[in-house]
Amino acid sequence: MNRWQDIRQVVVVGLGVTGLSVVKYIQKYHPEVAVQVMDTREAPPGIEQLPGDVEMYQGGWRTEWLNKADLVVVNPGISLATPELQSARSRGVAIVGDIELFAWHVHQPVIAITGSNGKSTVTDLTGKMAEAAGLKVGVGGNIGVPALDLIDGAMDLYVLELSSFQLETTSHLRVKAAAFLNLSEDHMDRYDSMAAYRQAKLRIFSHAESIVVNQDDPATYPENFSGNQVRFSLNQPADFSVEMVDGTEYLSAKGQPVIETGTLRLVGRHNVANALTVIALLHLADIDYLSHLDALKNYMGLTHRCQLVEERHGIKWVNDSKATNVASTLAALSGLQLNGRLYLLVGGVGKGADFSPLKPVLSSLNLELCCFGRDGKQFMALHSSARLYGTMEDALQEITPELKSGDIVMLSPACASFDQYKNFMARGDAFARLAHRFA
Protein backbone atom coordinates (compact mmCIF):
# COMPACT_ATOMS: atom_id res chain seq x y z
CA MET A 1 0.00 0.00 0.00
CA ASN A 2 1.39 3.40 -1.04
CA ARG A 3 0.48 5.73 1.80
CA TRP A 4 2.07 8.66 -0.04
CA GLN A 5 -0.19 8.61 -3.10
CA ASP A 6 -2.51 11.40 -1.89
CA ILE A 7 0.09 13.44 0.01
CA ARG A 8 1.30 16.64 -1.67
CA GLN A 9 1.98 18.97 1.26
CA VAL A 10 3.81 18.01 4.48
CA VAL A 11 4.46 20.24 7.48
CA VAL A 12 7.30 19.18 9.78
CA VAL A 13 6.77 20.50 13.31
CA GLY A 14 10.04 20.81 15.24
CA LEU A 15 13.42 20.86 13.52
CA GLY A 16 16.50 19.47 15.26
CA VAL A 17 18.07 16.16 14.29
CA THR A 18 14.75 14.35 13.84
CA GLY A 19 13.10 17.13 11.83
CA LEU A 20 16.08 17.36 9.51
CA SER A 21 15.97 13.59 8.95
CA VAL A 22 12.30 13.88 7.92
CA VAL A 23 13.04 16.68 5.45
CA LYS A 24 15.97 14.77 3.92
CA TYR A 25 13.91 11.58 3.67
CA ILE A 26 11.00 13.26 1.89
CA GLN A 27 13.23 15.11 -0.54
CA LYS A 28 15.11 11.90 -1.38
CA TYR A 29 12.25 9.42 -1.66
CA HIS A 30 9.21 11.65 -2.35
CA PRO A 31 10.52 14.68 -4.24
CA GLU A 32 7.05 15.44 -5.59
CA VAL A 33 5.91 16.35 -2.05
CA ALA A 34 6.31 19.96 -0.82
CA VAL A 35 7.77 20.39 2.67
CA GLN A 36 7.40 23.23 5.13
CA VAL A 37 9.02 23.36 8.58
CA MET A 38 7.89 25.25 11.67
CA ASP A 39 9.52 25.49 15.07
CA THR A 40 8.40 27.54 18.06
CA ARG A 41 12.04 28.27 18.97
CA GLU A 42 13.61 31.47 17.65
CA ALA A 43 16.84 29.67 16.73
CA PRO A 44 16.04 25.97 16.18
CA PRO A 45 19.01 23.60 16.22
CA GLY A 46 19.88 22.40 12.73
CA ILE A 47 18.47 25.42 10.91
CA GLU A 48 21.79 26.03 9.18
CA GLN A 49 21.54 22.55 7.61
CA LEU A 50 18.03 23.00 6.27
CA PRO A 51 17.94 22.94 2.44
CA GLY A 52 17.42 26.40 0.97
CA ASP A 53 14.29 25.39 -0.95
CA VAL A 54 12.40 24.41 2.24
CA GLU A 55 10.16 27.13 3.67
CA MET A 56 10.78 27.70 7.39
CA TYR A 57 8.75 29.48 10.07
CA GLN A 58 10.31 29.94 13.50
CA GLY A 59 9.38 31.49 16.83
CA GLY A 60 5.76 30.36 16.85
CA TRP A 61 2.99 28.47 15.03
CA ARG A 62 1.57 28.94 11.52
CA THR A 63 -1.88 27.40 11.92
CA GLU A 64 -2.78 28.03 8.28
CA TRP A 65 0.11 25.74 7.29
CA LEU A 66 -1.15 23.01 9.60
CA ASN A 67 -4.72 23.27 8.35
CA LYS A 68 -3.71 23.07 4.67
CA ALA A 69 -1.30 20.15 5.12
CA ASP A 70 -2.05 16.64 3.91
CA LEU A 71 0.27 15.32 6.60
CA VAL A 72 1.92 16.76 9.71
CA VAL A 73 5.09 15.07 10.97
CA VAL A 74 5.65 16.09 14.57
CA ASN A 75 8.88 15.93 16.57
CA PRO A 76 8.53 13.49 19.52
CA GLY A 77 9.39 16.27 21.95
CA ILE A 78 6.14 18.09 21.13
CA SER A 79 3.00 16.91 22.89
CA LEU A 80 0.03 15.88 20.77
CA ALA A 81 -2.10 17.72 23.35
CA THR A 82 -0.75 21.05 22.05
CA PRO A 83 -3.84 23.11 21.06
CA GLU A 84 -2.51 23.87 17.57
CA LEU A 85 -2.07 20.17 16.82
CA GLN A 86 -5.42 19.29 18.35
CA SER A 87 -7.07 21.90 16.15
CA ALA A 88 -5.43 20.51 13.00
CA ARG A 89 -6.38 16.97 13.94
CA SER A 90 -10.02 18.02 14.49
CA ARG A 91 -10.02 19.22 10.88
CA GLY A 92 -8.95 15.76 9.71
CA VAL A 93 -5.23 16.44 9.23
CA ALA A 94 -3.18 13.28 9.80
CA ILE A 95 -0.43 13.66 12.41
CA VAL A 96 2.41 11.13 12.57
CA GLY A 97 6.04 10.91 13.70
CA ASP A 98 9.25 9.92 11.96
CA ILE A 99 8.93 6.27 13.05
CA GLU A 100 5.60 6.02 11.22
CA LEU A 101 7.28 7.22 8.01
CA PHE A 102 10.00 4.62 8.61
CA ALA A 103 7.29 1.95 9.05
CA TRP A 104 5.72 2.89 5.72
CA HIS A 105 9.06 2.47 3.94
CA VAL A 106 11.00 -0.52 5.23
CA HIS A 107 10.45 -4.20 4.53
CA GLN A 108 13.43 -5.72 6.34
CA PRO A 109 13.02 -7.25 9.83
CA VAL A 110 12.88 -4.83 12.75
CA ILE A 111 13.66 -5.42 16.42
CA ALA A 112 12.18 -2.72 18.67
CA ILE A 113 12.83 -1.93 22.32
CA THR A 114 11.06 0.34 24.79
CA GLY A 115 10.92 0.75 28.57
CA SER A 116 11.55 3.39 31.18
CA ASN A 117 15.17 2.30 31.68
CA GLY A 118 17.78 0.15 29.98
CA LYS A 119 16.48 0.46 26.43
CA SER A 120 19.58 2.18 25.04
CA THR A 121 21.89 -0.55 26.38
CA VAL A 122 19.61 -3.31 25.09
CA THR A 123 19.31 -1.65 21.69
CA ASP A 124 23.05 -1.10 21.31
CA LEU A 125 24.02 -4.57 22.51
CA THR A 126 21.40 -6.28 20.33
CA GLY A 127 22.85 -4.47 17.33
CA LYS A 128 26.43 -5.38 18.28
CA MET A 129 25.57 -9.08 18.65
CA ALA A 130 23.61 -9.16 15.39
CA GLU A 131 26.62 -7.59 13.64
CA ALA A 132 28.87 -10.22 15.23
CA ALA A 133 26.58 -12.82 13.66
CA GLY A 134 27.40 -11.34 10.24
CA LEU A 135 24.35 -9.16 9.61
CA LYS A 136 24.32 -5.61 8.29
CA VAL A 137 22.42 -3.79 11.01
CA GLY A 138 20.98 -0.30 11.34
CA VAL A 139 20.80 0.79 14.99
CA GLY A 140 19.05 3.97 16.04
CA GLY A 141 15.69 5.61 16.62
CA ASN A 142 15.66 7.26 20.03
CA ILE A 143 19.37 6.48 20.35
CA GLY A 144 22.07 7.87 18.07
CA VAL A 145 20.92 8.00 14.45
CA PRO A 146 17.31 8.93 13.57
CA ALA A 147 15.45 5.98 12.07
CA LEU A 148 14.94 7.63 8.67
CA ASP A 149 18.68 8.23 8.32
CA LEU A 150 19.27 4.48 8.73
CA ILE A 151 17.27 3.49 5.64
CA ASP A 152 19.39 1.42 3.30
CA GLY A 153 18.18 -1.29 0.94
CA ALA A 154 21.21 -3.42 1.82
CA MET A 155 20.31 -3.65 5.52
CA ASP A 156 19.56 -7.13 6.90
CA LEU A 157 18.03 -5.86 10.14
CA TYR A 158 17.03 -2.68 11.97
CA VAL A 159 17.23 -2.40 15.76
CA LEU A 160 15.31 0.58 17.12
CA GLU A 161 15.02 2.14 20.53
CA LEU A 162 11.56 3.71 20.78
CA SER A 163 10.38 6.20 23.38
CA SER A 164 6.78 6.57 24.50
CA PHE A 165 6.70 9.90 22.65
CA GLN A 166 7.69 8.20 19.38
CA LEU A 167 5.21 5.38 19.88
CA GLU A 168 2.32 7.84 20.37
CA THR A 169 2.57 8.80 16.70
CA THR A 170 3.34 5.32 15.34
CA SER A 171 0.56 3.01 14.14
CA HIS A 172 1.94 0.70 11.45
CA LEU A 173 5.39 -0.46 12.58
CA ARG A 174 5.69 -4.21 11.98
CA VAL A 175 8.39 -5.80 14.10
CA LYS A 176 9.95 -9.24 14.17
CA ALA A 177 10.49 -9.00 17.93
CA ALA A 178 9.69 -6.27 20.46
CA ALA A 179 10.62 -5.82 24.12
CA PHE A 180 9.04 -3.77 26.90
CA LEU A 181 11.74 -3.78 29.60
CA ASN A 182 10.14 -2.11 32.61
CA LEU A 183 7.84 0.69 33.68
CA SER A 184 8.60 3.37 36.25
CA GLU A 185 7.57 6.95 36.80
CA ASP A 186 8.89 9.27 34.11
CA HIS A 187 7.61 12.10 31.93
CA MET A 188 4.81 12.94 34.36
CA ASP A 189 5.01 16.46 32.97
CA ARG A 190 3.74 15.01 29.67
CA TYR A 191 1.24 12.34 30.75
CA ASP A 192 -1.89 12.66 32.85
CA SER A 193 -1.21 9.33 34.58
CA MET A 194 1.05 6.31 34.74
CA ALA A 195 -1.69 4.41 32.90
CA ALA A 196 -1.45 6.80 29.95
CA TYR A 197 2.35 6.51 29.92
CA ARG A 198 2.07 2.70 29.99
CA GLN A 199 -0.44 2.63 27.14
CA ALA A 200 1.93 4.67 24.98
CA LYS A 201 4.70 2.11 25.64
CA LEU A 202 2.41 -0.84 24.90
CA ARG A 203 1.88 0.43 21.35
CA ILE A 204 5.21 -1.23 20.51
CA PHE A 205 3.37 -4.58 20.49
CA SER A 206 0.63 -3.50 18.05
CA HIS A 207 2.11 -5.29 15.01
CA ALA A 208 4.74 -7.54 16.60
CA GLU A 209 5.29 -11.18 15.64
CA SER A 210 6.94 -12.00 18.99
CA ILE A 211 7.39 -10.06 22.22
CA VAL A 212 9.58 -10.02 25.32
CA VAL A 213 8.12 -8.88 28.65
CA ASN A 214 9.51 -8.56 32.16
CA GLN A 215 8.14 -11.28 34.45
CA ASP A 216 9.20 -9.15 37.44
CA ASP A 217 7.14 -6.20 36.16
CA PRO A 218 3.58 -7.16 35.11
CA ALA A 219 2.98 -3.62 33.86
CA THR A 220 4.97 -4.68 30.76
CA TYR A 221 2.40 -7.33 29.83
CA PRO A 222 -0.01 -6.43 27.02
CA GLU A 223 -3.72 -6.90 27.73
CA ASN A 224 -4.23 -8.81 24.50
CA PHE A 225 -1.53 -10.45 22.44
CA SER A 226 -2.01 -13.58 20.35
CA GLY A 227 1.55 -14.03 19.06
CA ASN A 228 4.63 -15.60 20.61
CA GLN A 229 5.42 -14.18 24.07
CA VAL A 230 8.48 -14.89 26.22
CA ARG A 231 9.47 -13.56 29.62
CA PHE A 232 12.73 -12.67 31.33
CA SER A 233 13.37 -12.51 35.06
CA LEU A 234 16.14 -12.01 37.57
CA ASN A 235 14.11 -13.34 40.47
CA GLN A 236 12.07 -16.35 39.33
CA PRO A 237 12.02 -19.12 36.73
CA ALA A 238 11.27 -17.74 33.27
CA ASP A 239 12.02 -18.38 29.60
CA PHE A 240 15.17 -16.28 30.01
CA SER A 241 16.49 -16.07 33.55
CA VAL A 242 19.49 -16.65 35.80
CA GLU A 243 20.25 -20.05 37.30
CA MET A 244 22.90 -21.53 39.53
CA VAL A 245 24.98 -24.41 38.16
CA ASP A 246 27.46 -25.93 40.61
CA GLY A 247 27.56 -22.72 42.59
CA THR A 248 28.05 -20.45 39.56
CA GLU A 249 25.39 -18.12 38.20
CA TYR A 250 24.56 -18.30 34.49
CA LEU A 251 22.30 -16.54 32.05
CA SER A 252 19.83 -19.23 31.05
CA ALA A 253 17.79 -19.53 27.85
CA LYS A 254 14.86 -21.93 27.83
CA GLY A 255 16.45 -23.85 30.70
CA GLN A 256 19.90 -24.09 29.10
CA PRO A 257 22.91 -22.29 30.67
CA VAL A 258 24.36 -19.81 28.18
CA ILE A 259 27.15 -17.79 29.83
CA GLU A 260 28.44 -17.10 33.35
CA THR A 261 27.15 -13.76 34.60
CA GLY A 262 30.50 -13.19 36.30
CA THR A 263 32.25 -13.07 32.93
CA LEU A 264 30.19 -10.10 31.71
CA ARG A 265 32.03 -6.77 31.68
CA LEU A 266 28.75 -4.93 32.24
CA VAL A 267 28.27 -3.78 35.83
CA GLY A 268 25.13 -4.20 37.93
CA ARG A 269 22.12 -6.47 38.21
CA HIS A 270 20.09 -4.27 35.90
CA ASN A 271 22.61 -5.11 33.17
CA VAL A 272 22.13 -8.83 33.78
CA ALA A 273 18.45 -8.24 33.03
CA ASN A 274 19.45 -6.26 29.94
CA ALA A 275 21.62 -9.14 28.73
CA LEU A 276 18.75 -11.59 29.21
CA THR A 277 16.51 -9.37 27.09
CA VAL A 278 19.11 -9.19 24.33
CA ILE A 279 19.46 -12.95 24.00
CA ALA A 280 15.65 -13.29 24.10
CA LEU A 281 15.26 -10.82 21.24
CA LEU A 282 17.99 -12.49 19.17
CA HIS A 283 16.39 -15.87 19.78
CA LEU A 284 13.00 -14.60 18.60
CA ALA A 285 14.59 -13.02 15.53
CA ASP A 286 16.26 -16.33 14.62
CA ILE A 287 19.77 -14.89 15.00
CA ASP A 288 22.55 -17.23 16.13
CA TYR A 289 23.85 -15.58 19.29
CA LEU A 290 25.31 -18.74 20.84
CA SER A 291 28.23 -18.70 18.38
CA HIS A 292 29.02 -15.07 19.19
CA LEU A 293 28.94 -14.84 22.98
CA ASP A 294 32.28 -13.02 23.04
CA ALA A 295 30.42 -9.95 21.79
CA LEU A 296 28.18 -10.20 24.86
CA LYS A 297 31.02 -10.99 27.26
CA ASN A 298 33.21 -8.09 26.09
CA TYR A 299 30.51 -5.43 25.79
CA MET A 300 31.38 -2.53 28.09
CA GLY A 301 28.17 -0.55 27.85
CA LEU A 302 27.17 2.84 26.59
CA THR A 303 28.84 6.16 27.12
CA HIS A 304 27.04 8.08 29.90
CA ARG A 305 25.62 4.88 31.45
CA CYS A 306 27.58 3.72 34.52
CA GLN A 307 30.73 4.64 32.58
CA LEU A 308 34.04 4.77 34.44
CA VAL A 309 35.65 7.97 33.12
CA GLU A 310 38.54 8.35 35.57
CA GLU A 311 40.29 6.27 38.23
CA ARG A 312 43.18 7.76 40.15
CA HIS A 313 44.52 7.35 43.70
CA GLY A 314 41.95 4.58 44.23
CA ILE A 315 39.05 6.97 43.52
CA LYS A 316 36.55 6.12 40.77
CA TRP A 317 34.62 8.75 38.82
CA VAL A 318 31.48 7.29 37.22
CA ASN A 319 29.41 9.04 34.54
CA ASP A 320 25.78 7.92 34.67
CA SER A 321 24.34 11.08 33.11
CA LYS A 322 21.84 8.99 31.15
CA ALA A 323 20.01 8.36 34.45
CA THR A 324 17.32 10.95 33.78
CA ASN A 325 14.73 9.44 36.13
CA VAL A 326 14.50 7.86 39.58
CA ALA A 327 14.35 4.24 38.44
CA SER A 328 17.51 4.62 36.37
CA THR A 329 19.41 6.04 39.35
CA LEU A 330 18.08 3.22 41.56
CA ALA A 331 19.34 0.69 39.01
CA ALA A 332 22.80 2.26 39.02
CA LEU A 333 22.97 2.24 42.81
CA SER A 334 21.92 -1.41 43.00
CA GLY A 335 24.96 -2.45 40.96
CA LEU A 336 27.63 -0.60 42.92
CA GLN A 337 30.54 -2.33 44.64
CA LEU A 338 31.36 0.29 47.28
CA ASN A 339 34.54 0.08 49.37
CA GLY A 340 34.58 3.67 50.59
CA ARG A 341 32.19 6.60 50.46
CA LEU A 342 29.85 7.40 47.57
CA TYR A 343 29.59 11.03 46.50
CA LEU A 344 26.36 11.05 44.50
CA LEU A 345 25.50 14.01 42.28
CA VAL A 346 21.76 14.48 41.68
CA GLY A 347 19.57 17.21 40.25
CA GLY A 348 18.48 19.02 37.11
CA VAL A 349 14.95 19.11 35.70
CA GLY A 350 12.78 16.73 37.71
CA LYS A 351 9.90 16.45 35.20
CA GLY A 352 7.37 16.33 38.02
CA ALA A 353 8.82 13.11 39.48
CA ASP A 354 8.51 11.84 43.05
CA PHE A 355 12.07 11.35 44.37
CA SER A 356 11.07 9.72 47.66
CA PRO A 357 11.74 6.12 46.45
CA LEU A 358 15.44 7.02 46.57
CA LYS A 359 15.37 7.67 50.32
CA PRO A 360 15.54 4.08 51.69
CA VAL A 361 18.30 3.14 49.25
CA LEU A 362 20.35 6.24 50.05
CA SER A 363 19.99 5.58 53.78
CA SER A 364 21.66 2.18 53.35
CA LEU A 365 24.79 3.62 51.70
CA ASN A 366 27.91 5.34 53.02
CA LEU A 367 26.95 8.48 51.18
CA GLU A 368 27.42 12.18 50.60
CA LEU A 369 24.49 13.56 48.57
CA CYS A 370 25.43 16.48 46.33
CA CYS A 371 22.38 18.29 44.95
CA PHE A 372 22.54 20.83 42.12
CA GLY A 373 20.51 22.37 39.33
CA ARG A 374 16.98 23.70 39.06
CA ASP A 375 15.31 20.98 41.14
CA GLY A 376 18.28 20.16 43.38
CA LYS A 377 16.37 21.37 46.43
CA GLN A 378 13.87 18.54 46.02
CA PHE A 379 16.58 16.02 46.99
CA MET A 380 17.66 17.76 50.19
CA ALA A 381 15.26 15.88 52.47
CA LEU A 382 16.36 12.48 51.20
CA HIS A 383 19.58 12.17 53.21
CA SER A 384 21.13 13.87 56.23
CA SER A 385 24.37 14.47 54.33
CA ALA A 386 22.70 16.44 51.52
CA ARG A 387 24.40 19.63 50.39
CA LEU A 388 23.02 22.07 47.80
CA TYR A 389 25.15 23.59 45.04
CA GLY A 390 24.43 25.84 42.10
CA THR A 391 26.28 23.70 39.59
CA MET A 392 27.96 20.33 39.25
CA GLU A 393 31.34 22.06 39.08
CA ASP A 394 30.66 23.81 42.39
CA ALA A 395 29.94 20.44 44.00
CA LEU A 396 33.06 18.74 42.63
CA GLN A 397 35.28 21.63 43.62
CA GLU A 398 34.12 21.37 47.22
CA ILE A 399 34.18 17.58 47.63
CA THR A 400 37.48 16.84 45.86
CA PRO A 401 39.70 17.64 48.90
CA GLU A 402 37.62 15.17 50.96
CA LEU A 403 38.08 12.20 48.61
CA LYS A 404 39.99 9.08 49.74
CA SER A 405 40.99 5.78 48.19
CA GLY A 406 37.94 3.53 47.79
CA ASP A 407 35.55 6.43 47.23
CA ILE A 408 33.31 6.76 44.18
CA VAL A 409 32.14 10.03 42.68
CA MET A 410 29.04 9.30 40.60
CA LEU A 411 26.86 11.53 38.47
CA SER A 412 23.48 9.75 38.40
CA PRO A 413 21.16 12.74 38.52
CA ALA A 414 17.64 11.20 38.30
CA CYS A 415 16.71 14.32 36.30
CA ALA A 416 16.81 15.73 32.80
CA SER A 417 19.63 18.12 31.94
CA PHE A 418 17.90 20.98 30.14
CA ASP A 419 18.28 23.57 32.90
CA GLN A 420 22.05 23.77 32.49
CA TYR A 421 23.02 21.56 29.53
CA LYS A 422 21.90 20.94 25.95
CA ASN A 423 21.23 17.25 26.71
CA PHE A 424 22.37 14.42 28.98
CA MET A 425 25.36 13.74 26.71
CA ALA A 426 26.64 17.29 27.15
CA ARG A 427 26.15 16.93 30.92
CA GLY A 428 28.07 13.66 30.95
CA ASP A 429 30.88 15.12 28.84
CA ALA A 430 31.11 18.04 31.27
CA PHE A 431 31.37 15.61 34.19
CA ALA A 432 34.11 13.65 32.42
CA ARG A 433 36.12 16.84 31.81
CA LEU A 434 35.73 17.87 35.44
CA ALA A 435 36.74 14.38 36.60
CA HIS A 436 39.96 14.60 34.59
CA ARG A 437 40.59 18.04 36.03
CA PHE A 438 39.92 17.28 39.70
CA ALA A 439 41.10 13.67 39.95
Side-chain angles (χ1 to χ4, degrees):
M1 178 180 178
N2 180 12
R3 299 183 186 278
W4 287 94
Q5 59 188 5
D6 297 321
I7 296 173
R8 291 295 173 266
Q9 183 71 46
V10 172
V11 174
V12 177
V13 179
L15 193 55
V17 174
T18 300
L20 279 171
S21 75
V22 173
V23 172
K24 288 191 294 181
Y25 167 79
I26 293 173
Q27 290 198 328
K28 180 176 181 179
Y29 293 100
H30 303 282
E32 73 284 359
V33 175
V35 184
Q36 296 171 313
V37 179
M38 69 174 69
D39 196 302
T40 58
R41 295 168 289 188
E42 291 290 347
I47 192 168
E48 69 285 348
Q49 300 173 51
L50 191 67
D53 58 344
V54 175
E55 195 173 2
M56 173 82 198
Y57 183 79
Q58 59 214 70
W61 293 86
R62 286 289 292 270
T63 54
E64 63 270 30
W65 284 11
L66 295 175
N67 295 335
K68 290 178 181 177
D70 299 311
L71 182 71
V72 170
V73 184
V74 64
N75 188 290
I78 300 170
S79 172
L80 294 178
T82 303
E84 290 82 0
L85 294 177
Q86 286 290 306
S87 176
R89 178 173 272 179
S90 70
R91 288 175 166 80
V93 178
I95 300 176
V96 301
D98 67 309
I99 303 301
E100 180 70 359
L101 301 188
F102 176 89
W104 295 356
H105 188 103
V106 301
H107 302 288
Q108 298 99 320
V110 176
I111 292 175
I113 298 102
T114 196
S116 298
N117 296 292
K119 55 187 179 291
S120 294
T121 297
V122 171
T123 302
D124 190 54
L125 179 52
T126 300
K128 292 284 196 302
M129 292 196 69
E131 288 174 349
L135 301 181
K136 183 173 182 180
V137 187
V139 178
N142 193 50
I143 174 181
V145 181
L148 292 172
D149 286 351
L150 295 172
I151 289 175
D152 181 341
M155 287 291 181
D156 298 310
L157 175 73
Y158 294 99
V159 182
L160 300 182
E161 173 187 321
L162 299 178
S163 70
S164 59
F165 298 167
Q166 290 172 311
L167 288 165
E168 286 176 16
T169 53
T170 303
S171 301
H172 297 93
L173 181 65
R174 297 193 172 277
V175 296
K176 182 75 172 176
F180 187 171
L181 305 180
N182 46 58
L183 186 74
S184 60
E185 186 180 80
D186 200 4
H187 304 302
M188 290 299 102
D189 52 348
R190 173 90 167 236
Y191 294 102
D192 294 334
S193 64
M194 282 293 291
Y197 176 43
R198 174 176 176 261
Q199 286 303 316
K201 292 283 193 188
L202 285 170
R203 290 172 67 91
I204 200 169
F205 296 149
S206 297
H207 302 287
E209 288 183 30
S210 301
I211 69 173
V212 181
V213 298
N214 184 346
Q215 187 159 305
D216 302 326
D217 189 351
T220 63
Y221 300 2
E223 276 78 24
N224 298 291
F225 184 77
S226 57
N228 185 25
Q229 177 175 317
V230 301
R231 300 180 181 186
F232 71 90
S233 173
L234 286 178
N235 303 315
Q236 50 193 312
D239 302 294
F240 294 82
S241 61
V242 291
E243 67 171 278
M244 299 298 294
V245 178
D246 297 330
T248 300
E249 186 183 67
Y250 283 79
L251 300 183
S252 173
K254 300 287 187 176
Q256 297 299 312
V258 172
I259 188 173
E260 293 181 33
T261 59
T263 64
L264 301 178
R265 299 186 73 175
L266 285 169
V267 174
R269 296 300 290 174
H270 61 295
N271 277 322
V272 175
N274 290 338
L276 287 169
T277 309
V278 169
I279 63 175
L281 286 167
L282 295 169
H283 167 79
L284 293 173
D286 301 317
I287 296 170
D288 175 21
Y289 64 88
L290 290 172
S291 301
H292 306 283
L293 291 175
D294 279 349
L296 174 58
K297 186 185 300 184
N298 295 322
Y299 182 73
M300 296 183 67
L302 288 167
T303 306
H304 309 296
R305 192 70 180 102
C306 292
Q307 176 197 16
L308 183 65
V309 294
E310 186 65 74
E311 184 171 7
R312 203 175 299 176
H313 310 303
I315 301 160
K316 293 181 178 179
W317 301 70
V318 179
N319 169 21
D320 192 39
S321 183
K322 201 173 189 308
T324 57
N325 57 44
V326 171
S328 193
T329 296
L330 286 170
L333 294 175
S334 73
L336 277 184
Q337 299 291 322
L338 190 59
N339 298 318
R341 190 167 179 81
L342 172 65
Y343 290 80
L344 179 65
L345 283 78
V346 294
V349 180
K351 300 178 288 183
D354 173 15
F355 298 116
S356 61
L358 287 167
K359 190 169 185 176
V361 177
L362 297 179
S363 67
S364 68
L365 296 170
N366 180 10
L367 178 79
E368 181 81 39
L369 191 63
C370 307
C371 315
F372 71 96
R374 193 186 81 181
D375 293 331
K377 288 181 181 177
Q378 296 185 30
F379 293 86
M380 292 295 289
L382 299 182
H383 197 270
S384 59
S385 71
R387 289 188 257 176
L388 185 63
Y389 302 91
T391 67
M392 180 166 62
E393 182 173 0
D394 292 341
L396 293 178
Q397 194 154 17
E398 182 164 317
I399 68 173
T400 296
E402 304 172 14
L403 300 176
K404 299 173 182 173
S405 179
D407 290 347
I408 295 177
V409 182
M410 174 183 269
L411 170 68
S412 189
C415 287
S417 58
F418 306 123
D419 56 335
Q420 297 181 340
Y421 299 95
K422 181 180 177 182
N423 48 44
F424 75 82
M425 295 87 79
R427 178 174 61 189
D429 290 341
F431 174 80
R433 287 192 298 271
L434 291 167
H436 297 322
R437 180 170 131 202
F438 289 121

